[in-house]
């Protein structure tokens, strides 16, 4: 009689554990990278939005004889508002927000 071995098609436990370990290592490398990419994307979006607001203020100033839009800044409302102070207030308010 001929001996027949019953080998079923499939993976052994060691092969499965090895694949799971490799997937875990790759996930550990990739997940922090994805977080950094998302943070950089948010910063790029914020920078683009700030640039658009500043360009809008400059266009407004060009249409209104160099006067920037009035800024309601409670901390420095007692100051006399000259052109340089208004520009710096705009930069400060945009940077804060």
């Amino acid at each position: 009689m001929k001996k027949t071995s019953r080998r079923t098609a499939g993976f052994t436990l060691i092969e499965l554990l090895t694949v799971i370990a490799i997937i875990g290592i790759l996930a550990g490398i990739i997940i922090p990278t994805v977080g950094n990419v998302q943070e950089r994307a948010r910063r790029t979006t914020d920078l683009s939005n700030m640039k658009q607001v500043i360009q809008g203020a400059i266009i407004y100033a060009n249409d209104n004889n160099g006067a920037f839009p009035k800024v309601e800044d409670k901390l420095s409302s007692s100051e006399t508002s000259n052109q340089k102070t208004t520009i710096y207030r705009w930069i400060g308010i945009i940077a804060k927000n």
Side-chain angles (χ1 to χ4, degrees):
M1 271 204 313
K2 193 174 194 185
K3 287 187 179 180
T4 59
S5 65
R6 291 183 140 197
R7 179 163 172 116
T8 58
F11 296 106
T12 64
L13 181 61
I14 293 176
E15 290 171 335
L16 288 174
L17 291 175
T18 304
V19 170
I20 291 171
I22 291 171
I23 290 171
I25 291 169
L26 291 175
I29 293 170
I30 292 172
I31 289 173
T33 305
V34 170
N36 291 340
V37 169
Q38 287 176 342
E39 180 62 29
R40 273 188 270 163
R42 272 189 231 108
R43 286 184 184 190
T44 302
T45 302
D46 292 344
L47 183 63
S48 175
N49 289 340
M50 285 184 2
K51 190 175 179 182
Q52 291 293 320
V53 170
I54 290 170
Q55 285 178 346
I58 290 171
I59 291 170
Y60 179 92
N62 286 336
D63 290 344
N64 292 293
N65 297 326
F68 281 84
K70 297 292 183 201
V71 177
E72 297 298 324
D73 192 5
K74 296 174 186 172
L75 297 176
S76 59
S77 60
S78 62
E79 281 183 23
T80 58
S81 179
N82 62 20
Q83 190 66 21
K84 263 189 182 173
T85 306
T86 305
I87 293 171
Y88 290 131
R89 270 199 230 155
W90 263 96
I91 293 169
I93 288 173
I94 290 171
K96 268 195 284 187
N97 295 328

